[in-house]
Amino acid sequence: MKTKSTSRFGSRDADDHEIDLRSLFLGPKGENAAVFERLLLEAFRDHVFWRRNFHPEDGFRVHEIEKNSPSYERSISVLSEELLSLLAELKGGVPFFSPRYIGHMCSDLTMASLIGYFATMLYNPNNVAAESSPVTSRMELEVAEQLATMVGYDPARQWGHLTSGGTVANFEALWVARAVKYLPVALRWAAEELGLAELTVQCADHQSANLLDLDLWQLLNMGPTCALDAAEALRQAVADEEKLTAISRHSVSHLGYQEFGRRLGQVFGDNLPPAVVLVPSTAHYSWEKICRSLGIGGGQLVHVPVDNRFRMDPEALWRTLQRLARERQPVIACVTVVGTTEESAVDRVDQILEVRARAAKELGMTFHLHADAAWGGYAISVTRDGDGSRRDYGAALADYAPEIWPEEGVYRALCATEGTDSITIDPHKLGFIPYPAGAINFADSRGRDLVAVDAPYLFHRGASEWGYIGRFIFEGSKPGAAAAAVSMSHKVLPLNARGYGRLIGQTSRGALALHRRLSAGSWEPFRVVPLPTPDLNIVCFAVTHSSLDKLEAANDFATRIYEAMSVGREKGRDTRQVEFFITKTVLRTGEYGSSALPIVERLGFTEADYLGSGGLSVLRCTVMDPFLTTEGDRVDYIEAFATNLRAVMVRELAG
Amino acid sequence: MKTKSTSRFGSRDADDHEIDLRSLFLGPKGENAAVFERLLLEAFRDHVFWRRNFHPEDGFRVHEIEKNSPSYERSISVLSEELLSLLAELKGGVPFFSPRYIGHMCSDLTMASLIGYFATMLYNPNNVAAESSPVTSRMELEVAEQLATMVGYDPARQWGHLTSGGTVANFEALWVARAVKYLPVALRWAAEELGLAELTVQCADHQSANLLDLDLWQLLNMGPTCALDAAEALRQAVADEEKLTAISRHSVSHLGYQEFGRRLGQVFGDNLPPAVVLVPSTAHYSWEKICRSLGIGGGQLVHVPVDNRFRMDPEALWRTLQRLARERQPVIACVTVVGTTEESAVDRVDQILEVRARAAKELGMTFHLHADAAWGGYAISVTRDGDGSRRDYGAALADYAPEIWPEEGVYRALCATEGTDSITIDPHKLGFIPYPAGAINFADSRGRDLVAVDAPYLFHRGASEWGYIGRFIFEGSKPGAAAAAVSMSHKVLPLNARGYGRLIGQTSRGALALHRRLSAGSWEPFRVVPLPTPDLNIVCFAVTHSSLDKLEAANDFATRIYEAMSVGREKGRDTRQVEFFITKTVLRTGEYGSSALPIVERLGFTEADYLGSGGLSVLRCTVMDPFLTTEGDRVDYIEAFATNLRAVMVRELAG
């Protein structure tokens, strides 16, 4: 018999009813306004009663009679008027809720998360420490564990939490990865300081060795697990907390790059070339910010070429690693992207794991593997059955027949994320949850100890780990309401094929239909060239016209179409004037290299044109609406979009 | 005649009515529930109507008849039940709204910000780019400018924005400060690469010089403004955007510390000691996280001693600078704290500015001065009149007579923040705004160009600066709702003495009353020793009993009292069992040095006891309730707190 308790995947009753996706959102016409309003009021009044129940003997702060005073009335009048002004201004906002919005990664949100956020915001818990958030700190750890379990990390070994967004999540992953990378050097120096003659450790090639005999290259290529094991071995060998501060005193975190580098030179006589971070060419621009700020250097970001499907090329990764090994450049981390921002491309994580294993064996070189699944992370739910087990690929495929979605390679890649060391998943993207809600999960919780800092006013003797998770986290104060929003959403929509999987599958179905329409229709005298079939739910396409003989002109044409089909970046445009909302991006030659060439050529241009113009501008449609292909709707949005696109192209060519 | 337009300080009609503070909050008994509910519903229904007005010809997604389907009913039933479960769980939260809560920096929030947040969350704008937030991106820049104007930065020259909180704001300040610090080196290398023979710049001592003649120490001590001026001079001398990429190619941001350091050694033959960051001993623990993550190194954080009022000692700062100059250690930044987390102490920013000027003159050494006013920033509003001009100190004092608040030194320090290079102010602290809302402002906007990164899918040709502020900001996606919440709150409560100034002044009045009660009462056989009069609104006090002959025992006693007067860090304690909520902290010997000695001695212990026990545990009360001393309340909360404190002390001593 099934129990009714909350499962590891969020939902209370994981597999005994079909979830009606129409019940999830307020809806483009506010179809679910009645139930939303009822629950909203319930949440608000419930909170008010809670206040009144707390020390009922306390007096009233505002007496009814005082509400007639001129200053009170005036103040409330200002509040009311200012709110109405805000409401008027907000109408200049973008209709993310509409099937006509297929621009950025924005859409309608689950009612569960909106109401959950509001209900919790009234309490305003601060998840920096459980003392300010006894309820929502627990929820934060729960939802992080749900995500980790979906990925396939061992729940007993993982560590995860929410962040303000994907940038901070990725930042934290690389911050920890760096600390782990240089840990063996700190251990070596600590062991020497403590007078140890030997400390047996495992190297990347699975050979045992004495830490004190390893050279610098070997120390920097022990791999994350071995390095953390070595720290434990040292702790056991010394078993004196006071002395063990030597580890942190010798760490790069404590010494900083300047002093750490100076000592490396002194001790190892090795002017080590800068350590690098590998990303696919399609990696999000925030990786550059992250490497710059961490002091790694934006220039130490190595772009690994992508293939024609815009996935990191495993062969190119291997060649890159061979070169770096020759040049003795350590790799702090390799970032694999699960759902690129531009194309929703899913790197073949399964193949990248193979390359990493080969590098350890053949090059004696290893590194932290991070999955930037900010966009695509929730799609991993398609690989999970109601009981949490992996589904057959065939079962997943049957759900979306006759569409071939997901492709087998994509499915394998999603499953393979379980082999990564850390993963970023943004609930505020494909979790359909309001900002701010990012999440970072680590497969091995021990790395967090290397970045922990205690606040004197938060960390108390005997406090449980649960009591103060803030010490392991980059950010301090943060909204408990975000944790409640994610928790609520996972409860109505579990992280499996029946829940989020189905929602995201439907968005991909819509994207495939849009892609087919763009590919199949006759656009003469225009040319519309979509990128290859998307791995998830973002459709990009290039445009031109027979009269445009330069790629620059085609790029300008794309920009004009984008401007006509968006609210634009300048103030004052009325969103009601826009029929459909899309966005655009540029496949820059520097990052994309030859991967964009097939598109350029189908557009009728040459490699020289592409290189000369610096890149290819493409229009970009993010499909987050699960109902785009619903039959029997009054409007066929895909057909209407195609009609509108043609009309805009005609107008903009003439203009 | 006064115009009714929005002033620079937020409020629409800045000085023609008294603001009734009782109208600001929902209230401990939900006294303002009726108006809150009315406005909440207004906001929700207005949003629904907006949806219906967008392309009214579009069909319905959920038809009324379908709401009777079993799967829809079942799904809504799950949503309702899960929400009710959430509401039940939330009641385990902490009653920040109550006058009985004087623990952490948490309190009731302005209704304006709560309703503004909710109203905007329904639209879910993403302030990463104006294209996803045409309304709230503007609001974000407006509120940042309001804060900058309150501080006294030149509105035409400043640059500011919101962040997820104080940690990211401080992080960004130091990230920019570092980029500016090393900018002259990058300029020198760029000038050499471009074949310039001369570039006239100003040094910290106001002498003109040729950049190419300066030695490394001089380059690193040009000062923020001179360095940014020098970059402009180079831009004018070269005037070729393509060539000017040389500046960023030679920057520490691009090269990273390892490569930058290697080149410094090669070019200048100078094994420069690590650069440091100066903070007062009382600085927030996040500074350690920040220095570690940036690669500066937690060990390069130099703690400047504080005086007996827990303010950075200017004399000690001067001696520290002398030592660093002798050792040729560059100072990236000095952090001055306006409202410490523990004591609400306000560093004498005015005196620190004098020390900085003297160091430039006498030591040829300068640095970025940052104010960490995460807590105290909003208190600067007491120095502002309705028209934005500075008030006399006497006028401010008269508002709070017979209390002497603020002290003249504090007032001067608040005014002097206008001389800093950057300032962190958290709206989600003394702005009484829900999480997440931090803010960072820079006096000179030009530093942001050094950290800018463009996203290909966001930055479009011809886009205005307003269109994409995300390129200058560490974080990516973030809630526009936070900007609307701050904006709404500033509208009902302007950033001057009549608005936020009065609110915060009243909290300080409450803190002073509490401090007086703790100081004046007879606590025999206990001893209660408050820290000196607080600069703002946090009261700390140490406790002991005649039977406790060791400081460790007194510290344990404080911990037990704290545990009895808080929800605690372990799960399950019912908040209704707690009469008053306080918190505690430790004045650790490492950071506090001799500044805590007077308290230790008044408690009856010696310096040796203090050093031996590692620190002094003190109980901590943050007063955010502006009504704590209201006459005619049914409960005298300060007296009731004192009574409860005594009862708890008796019980815990026995237990």
Side-chain angles (χ1 to χ4, degrees):
Chain A
M1 199 188 124
K2 289 201 177 71
T3 65
K4 290 286 181 183
S5 65
T6 302
S7 87
R8 291 182 306 161
F9 289 86
S11 175
R12 184 165 291 220
D13 36 13
D15 42 6
D16 59 358
H17 80 282
E18 188 203 338
I19 295 160
D20 191 333
L21 297 182
R22 293 167 305 183
S23 74
L24 291 177
F25 304 104
L26 175 54
K29 296 283 170 205
E31 293 92 327
N32 286 320
V35 65
F36 194 119
E37 186 172 308
R38 174 170 68 80
L39 296 175
L40 184 68
L41 276 179
E42 199 78 68
F44 175 68
R45 291 176 180 165
D46 187 88
H47 175 80
V48 170
F49 293 139
W50 176 71
R51 290 194 177 204
R52 290 183 189 149
N53 271 322
F54 182 75
H55 286 279
E57 72 276 19
D58 288 354
F60 285 78
R61 173 100 345 133
V62 195
H63 301 285
E64 234 12 68
I65 186 80
E66 292 167 338
K67 295 185 181 173
N68 300 325
S69 76
S71 70
Y72 181 92
E73 286 188 337
R74 178 66 191 267
S75 299
I76 293 292
S77 162
V78 170
L79 171 63
S80 304
E81 284 177 23
E82 291 296 351
L83 179 69
L84 297 186
S85 301
L86 173 68
L87 298 183
E89 289 197 76
L90 286 173
K91 295 189 178 69
V94 187
F96 299 139
F97 63 85
S98 169
R100 293 170 181 273
Y101 187 85
I102 44 175
H104 285 288
M105 295 165 157
C106 303
S107 83
D108 209 351
L109 308 171
T110 66
M111 292 197 288
S113 62
L114 283 169
I115 301 168
Y117 197 103
F118 172 73
T120 311
M121 183 170 61
L122 294 169
Y123 293 77
N124 204 36
N126 179 351
N127 272 23
V128 67
E131 192 180 356
S132 308
S133 53
V135 179
T136 51
S137 278
R138 178 177 50 69
M139 288 179 182
E140 178 171 348
L141 295 182
E142 277 172 9
V143 298
E145 190 179 323
Q146 287 160 8
L147 291 170
T149 308
M150 171 184 73
V151 169
Y153 288 169
D154 176 355
R157 195 165 158 262
Q158 67 84 31
W159 152 245
H161 64 86
L162 298 181
T163 66
S164 64
T167 300
V168 171
N170 283 334
F171 173 84
E172 207 166 300
L174 201 47
W175 181 33
V176 170
R178 176 176 65 188
V180 175
K181 186 76 186 174
Y182 292 108
L183 175 61
V185 175
L187 293 176
R188 162 76 164 268
W189 289 341
E192 284 170 358
E193 181 186 311
L194 299 173
L196 264 69
E198 194 176 349
L199 191 75
T200 306
V201 297
Q202 288 252 322
C203 292
D205 55 6
H206 303 294
Q207 302 296 311
S208 284
N210 179 1
L211 182 84
L212 288 97
D213 292 338
L214 298 180
D215 67 21
L216 184 54
W217 182 252
Q218 289 169 316
L219 287 171
L220 294 179
N221 283 288
M222 282 178 63
T225 306
C226 300
L228 291 164
D229 286 345
E232 273 191 38
L234 181 63
R235 279 200 193 92
Q236 275 160 20
V238 176
D240 175 337
E241 277 305 316
E242 207 54 43
K243 287 186 182 165
L244 282 167
T245 60
I247 302 178
S248 60
R249 277 188 285 106
H250 290 293
S251 69
V252 68
S253 285
H254 179 75
L255 297 172
Y257 267 111
Q258 282 191 267
E259 183 60 20
F260 192 82
R262 203 183 56 79
R263 293 195 192 178
L264 281 185
Q266 278 177 355
V267 178
F268 295 97
D270 194 339
N271 233 336
L272 196 71
V276 299
V277 174
L278 308 183
V279 293
S281 305
T282 50
H284 193 255
Y285 76 106
S286 63
W287 284 102
E288 176 136 11
K289 287 201 276 197
I290 291 166
C291 286
R292 287 185 185 184
S293 60
L294 284 167
I296 293 170
Q300 311 310 339
L301 204 56
V302 175
H303 287 98
V304 178
V306 292
D307 63 20
N308 293 342
R309 299 293 300 276
F310 303 101
R311 303 167 183 163
M312 183 189 270
D313 181 350
E315 267 307 307
L317 173 62
W318 173 248
R319 287 192 302 272
T320 304
L321 290 171
Q322 283 179 306
R323 175 177 64 76
L324 293 166
R326 273 198 308 274
E327 295 167 3
R328 288 176 63 81
Q329 281 202 273
V331 176
I332 296 175
C334 174
V335 177
T336 171
V337 182
V338 177
T340 60
T341 306
E342 267 74 19
E343 309 86 1
S344 74
V346 175
D347 283 346
R348 288 296 300 270
V349 185
D350 50 329
Q351 296 174 351
I352 290 164
L353 282 165
E354 285 168 17
V355 173
R356 181 168 73 157
R358 185 176 168 198
K361 204 170 153 199
E362 298 183 23
L363 307 173
M365 183 182 195
T366 191
F367 46 82
H368 181 108
L369 184 62
H370 174 72
D372 182 353
W375 178 247
Y378 272 83
I380 300 169
S381 56
V382 301
T383 72
R384 294 292 182 187
D385 249 329
D387 63 359
S389 62
R390 289 273 189 215
R391 310 176 78 202
D392 280 350
Y393 172 57
L397 205 58
D399 285 347
Y400 301 98
E403 300 287 359
I404 311 289
W405 190 88
E407 283 185 24
E408 189 164 2
V410 172
Y411 197 81
R412 281 200 207 161
L414 294 174
C415 293
T417 52
E418 71 181 22
T420 60
D421 297 302
S422 58
I423 188 165
T424 291
I425 299 176
D426 277 0
H428 68 204
K429 291 195 173 87
L430 280 180
F432 296 80
I433 284 158
Y435 305 108
I440 177 69
N441 281 278
F442 294 91
D444 187 333
S445 65
R446 296 174 297 172
R448 68 182 186 182
D449 296 324
L450 306 180
V451 298
V453 180
D454 292 333
Y457 62 99
L458 287 178
F459 193 62
H460 304 295
R461 190 199 50 182
S464 68
E465 170 198 313
W466 171 80
Y468 177 30
I469 61 169
R471 56 200 292 255
F472 305 117
I473 291 177
F474 180 66
E475 294 172 286
S477 297
K478 59 194 175 121
V486 179
S487 172
M488 275 294 293
S489 210
H490 288 189
K491 279 184 171 156
V492 301
L493 204 61
L495 293 168
N496 58 35
R498 194 178 66 91
Y500 271 102
R502 182 148 156 265
L503 174 61
I504 293 165
Q506 289 299 335
T507 68
S508 296
R509 189 194 284 272
L512 294 181
L514 176 61
H515 186 265
R516 202 159 41 233
R517 178 66 186 80
L518 291 168
S519 308
S522 163
W523 295 94
E524 288 298 329
F526 299 100
R527 205 168 295 168
V528 170
V529 180
L531 267 59
T533 315
D535 290 342
L536 298 175
N537 44 14
I538 303 179
V539 177
C540 289
F541 58 99
V543 287
T544 191
H545 179 267
S546 49
S547 69
L548 303 174
D549 55 1
K550 283 197 157 49
L551 183 54
E552 282 87 345
N555 284 345
D556 284 349
F557 184 49
T559 301
R560 287 203 303 280
I561 294 166
Y562 152 72
E563 284 165 357
M565 299 182 80
S566 70
V567 65
R569 300 182 166 274
E570 301 311 317
K571 304 179 198 188
R573 185 160 191 202
D574 188 337
T575 53
R576 283 171 300 187
Q577 293 168 1
V578 182
E579 289 279 316
F580 280 88
F581 293 77
I582 63 173
T583 179
K584 78 157 243 216
T585 191
V586 183
L587 310 184
R588 294 190 284 211
T589 51
E591 285 90 10
Y592 280 78
S594 61
S595 64
L597 268 188
I599 314 296
V600 170
E601 285 164 3
R602 282 185 56 205
L603 213 54
F605 296 101
T606 64
E607 182 167 5
D609 296 330
Y610 172 58
L611 295 174
S613 66
L616 171 68
S617 291
V618 297
L619 296 166
R620 174 168 163 266
C621 303
T622 309
V623 179
M624 289 183 76
D625 184 338
F627 304 104
L628 209 60
T629 57
T630 305
E631 305 228 337
D633 228 331
R634 200 187 289 175
V635 178
D636 178 337
Y637 291 102
I638 288 178
E639 209 43 53
F641 170 71
T643 305
N644 183 231
L645 175 63
R646 174 176 279 278
V648 170
M649 288 199 293
V650 168
R651 202 164 61 227
E652 293 301 325
L653 190 75
Chain B
M1 197 188 126
K2 291 203 176 72
T3 64
K4 290 285 180 185
S5 64
T6 302
S7 87
R8 290 182 306 161
F9 288 86
S11 174
R12 185 164 290 217
D13 36 13
D15 43 5
D16 59 358
H17 81 283
E18 188 203 337
I19 296 160
D20 191 334
L21 297 182
R22 294 167 305 184
S23 74
L24 291 178
F25 304 104
L26 174 55
K29 296 283 170 204
E31 293 92 327
N32 285 320
V35 66
F36 194 119
E37 186 172 310
R38 174 170 68 79
L39 295 175
L40 184 68
L41 276 178
E42 198 78 69
F44 175 68
R45 290 177 181 164
D46 188 88
H47 176 80
V48 170
F49 293 139
W50 177 70
R51 289 194 177 203
R52 291 184 187 146
N53 270 323
F54 182 74
H55 286 280
E57 72 276 18
D58 287 354
F60 285 77
R61 171 106 338 139
V62 195
H63 300 285
E64 234 13 68
I65 185 80
E66 291 166 339
K67 295 185 182 172
N68 300 326
S69 77
S71 70
Y72 181 91
E73 286 187 337
R74 176 68 192 263
S75 298
I76 293 294
S77 164
V78 170
L79 170 63
S80 304
E81 284 177 23
E82 291 295 353
L83 179 68
L84 296 186
S85 301
L86 173 68
L87 298 183
E89 290 197 75
L90 286 173
K91 294 190 178 68
V94 186
F96 299 139
F97 64 84
S98 170
R100 294 170 179 273
Y101 187 84
I102 44 175
H104 286 289
M105 295 166 156
C106 303
S107 82
D108 209 352
L109 308 171
T110 65
M111 292 197 288
S113 62
L114 283 169
I115 302 169
Y117 198 104
F118 172 73
T120 311
M121 183 170 61
L122 294 169
Y123 294 76
N124 204 35
N126 178 350
N127 272 22
V128 68
E131 192 180 357
S132 309
S133 53
V135 180
T136 51
S137 278
R138 178 177 51 67
M139 288 178 183
E140 178 172 348
L141 295 182
E142 277 172 8
V143 298
E145 190 178 323
Q146 288 160 8
L147 291 170
T149 308
M150 172 185 72
V151 169
Y153 288 169
D154 176 356
R157 194 165 158 262
Q158 67 84 33
W159 152 245
H161 64 86
L162 298 182
T163 65
S164 65
T167 300
V168 171
N170 283 335
F171 172 85
E172 208 166 300
L174 201 47
W175 182 32
V176 169
R178 174 176 67 188
V180 175
K181 187 77 186 174
Y182 292 108
L183 174 62
V185 176
L187 293 176
R188 162 76 163 270
W189 289 341
E192 284 170 358
E193 180 185 313
L194 299 172
L196 264 68
E198 193 176 350
L199 191 74
T200 307
V201 297
Q202 289 250 322
C203 292
D205 55 5
H206 303 294
Q207 303 295 310
S208 284
N210 179 2
L211 182 84
L212 289 97
D213 293 338
L214 298 181
D215 66 21
L216 183 54
W217 182 252
Q218 290 169 316
L219 287 171
L220 294 179
N221 283 289
M222 282 178 65
T225 306
C226 300
L228 291 164
D229 286 346
E232 272 191 37
L234 182 63
R235 277 199 194 93
Q236 275 161 20
V238 176
D240 176 336
E241 278 304 315
E242 207 54 45
K243 287 184 183 167
L244 282 167
T245 59
I247 302 177
S248 60
R249 277 187 285 106
H250 290 293
S251 70
V252 69
S253 285
H254 178 75
L255 297 172
Y257 267 111
Q258 283 191 268
E259 182 62 18
F260 193 81
R262 203 181 56 79
R263 291 194 193 178
L264 281 185
Q266 278 177 355
V267 177
F268 295 98
D270 194 339
N271 234 336
L272 196 71
V276 298
V277 174
L278 308 183
V279 293
S281 305
T282 50
H284 193 256
Y285 76 106
S286 63
W287 285 102
E288 174 134 14
K289 286 200 276 196
I290 291 166
C291 286
R292 287 185 185 184
S293 60
L294 284 167
I296 292 170
Q300 312 309 339
L301 203 57
V302 175
H303 286 100
V304 179
V306 293
D307 64 19
N308 293 342
R309 301 293 300 275
F310 304 101
R311 303 166 182 163
M312 183 188 269
D313 180 351
E315 267 307 307
L317 174 62
W318 173 248
R319 287 192 302 272
T320 304
L321 291 171
Q322 283 180 307
R323 175 176 64 77
L324 292 167
R326 273 197 308 275
E327 294 168 3
R328 289 176 65 80
Q329 280 201 274
V331 176
I332 296 175
C334 174
V335 177
T336 172
V337 181
V338 177
T340 59
T341 306
E342 266 74 18
E343 309 86 359
S344 75
V346 175
D347 283 345
R348 289 294 301 270
V349 185
D350 50 328
Q351 297 174 350
I352 290 165
L353 282 165
E354 285 167 15
V355 174
R356 181 167 73 158
R358 184 175 168 201
K361 205 170 152 199
E362 297 182 24
L363 307 174
M365 182 180 195
T366 191
F367 46 82
H368 181 108
L369 184 62
H370 174 73
D372 182 353
W375 178 247
Y378 272 83
I380 300 169
S381 56
V382 300
T383 73
R384 294 292 181 188
D385 250 328
D387 63 359
S389 62
R390 288 273 189 217
R391 308 176 79 202
D392 279 349
Y393 172 59
L397 205 57
D399 285 348
Y400 301 97
E403 301 286 359
I404 311 288
W405 189 88
E407 282 183 27
E408 187 163 3
V410 172
Y411 197 82
R412 280 200 207 161
L414 294 174
C415 293
T417 52
E418 70 180 22
T420 59
D421 296 303
S422 57
I423 188 165
T424 292
I425 299 176
D426 277 0
H428 68 206
K429 291 195 174 88
L430 280 179
F432 295 80
I433 284 156
Y435 305 107
I440 176 69
N441 281 277
F442 294 91
D444 188 334
S445 64
R446 296 173 297 171
R448 69 183 185 181
D449 296 324
L450 306 180
V451 298
V453 179
D454 293 333
Y457 63 99
L458 287 178
F459 193 64
H460 304 296
R461 189 199 50 185
S464 69
E465 171 199 312
W466 173 82
Y468 176 32
I469 60 169
R471 57 200 290 258
F472 305 115
I473 291 177
F474 180 66
E475 294 172 286
S477 297
K478 60 192 173 122
V486 180
S487 172
M488 275 295 292
S489 211
H490 288 189
K491 278 182 172 157
V492 300
L493 203 61
L495 293 169
N496 58 35
R498 195 178 65 90
Y500 271 103
R502 183 148 155 265
L503 173 62
I504 293 165
Q506 289 299 337
T507 67
S508 297
R509 190 193 283 272
L512 293 181
L514 177 61
H515 186 266
R516 203 159 39 233
R517 178 65 186 83
L518 291 169
S519 309
S522 162
W523 296 93
E524 287 299 329
F526 299 100
R527 206 169 294 168
V528 170
V529 181
L531 269 57
T533 314
D535 290 342
L536 299 174
N537 44 14
I538 302 179
V539 177
C540 290
F541 58 99
V543 287
T544 190
H545 179 267
S546 48
S547 69
L548 303 173
D549 56 0
K550 282 197 155 52
L551 184 54
E552 282 87 345
N555 284 346
D556 283 349
F557 185 49
T559 300
R560 288 202 303 280
I561 294 167
Y562 151 72
E563 283 165 358
M565 299 183 79
S566 69
V567 65
R569 299 185 166 272
E570 301 312 316
K571 303 179 198 188
R573 182 158 193 202
D574 188 337
T575 54
R576 282 170 302 185
Q577 294 168 0
V578 183
E579 289 281 314
F580 280 87
F581 292 77
I582 63 173
T583 179
K584 79 157 240 212
T585 190
V586 183
L587 310 185
R588 295 191 281 209
T589 51
E591 286 90 10
Y592 280 79
S594 60
S595 63
L597 268 187
I599 314 296
V600 170
E601 284 164 3
R602 285 184 56 204
L603 214 53
F605 296 101
T606 64
E607 181 166 7
D609 295 331
Y610 171 59
L611 294 174
S613 67
L616 172 67
S617 291
V618 297
L619 297 165
R620 175 169 162 265
C621 302
T622 309
V623 179
M624 289 184 76
D625 184 337
F627 304 104
L628 209 60
T629 56
T630 305
E631 306 228 336
D633 229 331
R634 199 186 291 173
V635 178
D636 178 336
Y637 292 102
I638 288 178
E639 211 41 54
F641 170 71
T643 305
N644 182 230
L645 176 63
R646 174 174 280 277
V648 170
M649 289 199 292
V650 169
R651 200 165 62 226
E652 293 302 325
L653 190 74

